[in-house]
Amino acid sequence: MQGMKALIHAMLSSLKDLMPIIIVVLFFQLVVLQEPLPNVLSILFGLFLVVLGLTFFVFGLEMGLFPIGESMAQAFARKGSVFWLVLFAFCLGFGTTIAEPALTAVSAEAAEVAAEGGMIALTEESMQSYAMGLRLSVAFSVGLAIVLGVIRILKGWPIHWIIIGGYIGVVVLTGFAPEYIIGVAYDSGGVTTSTITVPLVTALGVGLASTIKGRNPMLDGFGLIAFASLLPMMFVMVYGMVMA
């Protein structure tokens, strides 16, 4: 019974989180457009599935991804080997990013648009190669971003100077990159920080900052996601210049 009560409570909490977007959709559909909702039963069933999926997703984060990320970060910090910690950080960033469904979708769409625009050959092989190159560029950049974030935590570097320097690099590269790749590059910074990457990377930063003496998890444990959003923009623009 306690498990069922916890599940119902979590589902109600998920429904509460979704309520603002539900209100927005209902307002514009019924008040602005003044049209009834199409397929009401289908919409309600779909909403139920969304609530159920969001509930289990949050449970999964709390039970699995956050604990394993924090425990591994703490174990590597106690081990005292910077090499293995940095290698783990890179592999974690690369592996989670290459598995991101959002990145796969954006890469495939970018390859199709590039082929239709004459940037690459209009063949299935060329589009797959372009999309895979884009995914690998983003994944490699996120791996390096997580490494940079881990070193920042170890050294205690101020995050704002690194972010400022990174965005200066983005602005400079924007002036040299092909126009057709700039929008894709900017979007790549967002799609990398999605359902798989964010929980593990956040847990890594917090777990590491909690273990290292003199580090504050609130001040030093966060910021890895900012690096993971920044570097892909630069790497994708470089990828576009190489492909051009």
Side-chain angles (χ1 to χ4, degrees), residues 11 43-53:
M11 291 183 67
I43 292 175
L44 290 176
F45 181 68
L47 179 61
F48 170 74
L49 292 179
V50 171
V51 171
L52 193 64

Side-chain angles (χ1 to χ4, degrees), residues 1-237:
M1 288 296 295
Q2 290 182 347
M4 185 60 66
K5 288 181 179 179
L7 179 61
I8 294 174
H9 177 75
M11 291 183 67
L12 291 176
S13 178
S14 297
L15 181 61
K16 181 181 177 182
D17 293 337
L18 290 171
M19 193 56 65
I21 188 60
I22 294 174
I23 293 174
V24 168
V25 171
L26 288 177
F27 174 78
F28 281 94
Q29 181 72 28
L30 301 178
V31 178
V32 178
L33 297 178
Q34 296 183 352
E35 296 180 359
L37 287 171
N39 304 319
V40 177
L41 292 178
S42 177
I43 292 175
L44 290 176
F45 181 68
L47 179 61
F48 170 74
L49 292 179
V50 171
V51 171
L52 193 64
L54 183 60
T55 301
F56 284 117
F57 176 68
V58 173
F59 268 134
L61 293 182
E62 294 176 351
M63 295 176 61
L65 293 186
F66 278 125
I68 190 64
E70 290 187 15
S71 64
M72 290 190 72
Q74 292 169 357
F76 276 113
R78 288 192 299 268
K79 189 177 180 66
S81 175
V82 176
F83 170 78
W84 287 112
L85 176 61
V86 168
L87 181 62
F88 170 69
F90 176 82
C91 292
L92 181 68
F94 185 92
T96 54
T97 304
I98 205 71
E100 280 291 355
L103 177 60
T104 303
V106 169
S107 300
E109 188 69 22
E112 184 177 342
V113 172
E116 292 176 353
M119 311 300 174
I120 60 175
L122 189 59
T123 63
E124 189 68 25
E125 183 179 354
S126 295
M127 287 190 290
Q128 288 182 357
S129 176
Y130 184 88
M132 180 55 68
L134 194 59
R135 289 176 62 193
L136 289 174
S137 298
V138 173
F140 186 79
S141 68
V142 173
L144 289 182
I146 304 307
V147 168
L148 177 62
V150 166
I151 294 175
R152 183 194 73 85
I153 295 175
L154 295 176
K155 297 293 186 180
W157 293 339
I159 188 173
H160 57 280
W161 292 115
I162 303 175
I163 295 295
I164 291 171
Y167 276 107
I168 290 175
V170 170
V171 172
V172 171
L173 284 173
T174 302
F176 295 95
E179 291 185 358
Y180 70 87
I181 202 68
I182 293 175
V184 177
Y186 287 175
D187 285 346
S188 297
V191 298
T192 55
T193 51
S194 188
T195 54
I196 299 176
T197 307
V198 170
L200 283 170
V201 170
T202 302
L204 171 66
V206 172
L208 192 60
S210 301
T211 307
I212 298 176
K213 186 178 180 180
R215 298 291 175 265
N216 186 331
M218 197 64 197
L219 298 178
D220 303 303
F222 296 92
L224 294 179
I225 303 301
F227 295 151
S229 299
L230 177 59
L231 258 66
M233 292 188 283
M234 302 172 67
F235 272 65
V236 171
M237 282 190 278

